[in-house]
């Protein structure tokens, strides 16, 4: 049984839509057999493994969700989250109907 939802985490906050790209949004390298596409769970962007080696707890993966806990995020989003801009900006964008 899962613990009750935390009051500081929205229960129904949507995840951002994932985008499909032929190259990494951070470093620009093209994806192929030797460089696999990953997705940042903060912005939904296509990124390589080298540019998405960090994880952070995200608001749309609340404790009442099946996939709660640390999620893969790209280097650009790590800087935003760690500076305090990322999660709040993503929630505002989700509320407005725009991707994170």
């Amino acid at each position: 049984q899962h613990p009750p939802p935390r009051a500081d985490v929205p229960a129904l906050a949507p995840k951002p839509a994932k985008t499909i790209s032929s190259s990494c949004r951070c470093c620009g390298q093209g994806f192929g057999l030797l460089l696999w596409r990953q997705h940042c769970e903060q912005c939904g962007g296509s990124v390589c493994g080298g540019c998405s080696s960090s994880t952070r707890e995200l608001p749309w993966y609340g404790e009442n969700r099946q996939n709660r806990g640390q999620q893969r995020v790209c280097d650009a989003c790590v800087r935003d989250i760690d500076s305090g801009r990322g999660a709040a900006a993503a929630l505002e964008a989700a509320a407005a109907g725009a991707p994170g």
Side-chain angles (χ1 to χ4, degrees):
Q1 181 178 352
H2 293 293
R6 291 180 8 201
D8 62 330
V9 176
L12 300 175
K15 293 192 317 183
K18 293 183 179 177
T19 60
I20 303 296
S21 172
S22 60
S23 61
C24 175
R25 75 178 283 270
C26 293
C27 69
Q29 290 187 71
F31 299 120
L33 291 175
L34 299 178
L35 187 66
W36 290 16
R37 178 186 298 117
Q38 305 291 333
H39 284 98
C40 172
E41 296 295 341
Q42 166 78 4
C43 68
S46 296
V47 291
C48 68
C51 292
S52 61
S53 59
S54 298
T55 60
R56 296 293 184 274
E57 188 172 329
L58 300 175
W60 36 85
Y61 287 99
E63 288 188 8
N64 60 330
R65 297 284 176 99
Q66 180 180 359
N67 295 326
R68 65 186 182 273
Q70 301 289 310
Q71 302 296 320
R72 177 188 297 269
V73 292
C74 68
D75 293 348
C77 287
V78 165
R79 288 188 294 273
D80 286 347
I81 292 168
D82 291 350
S83 70
R85 296 183 310 216
L91 285 175
E92 288 173 13

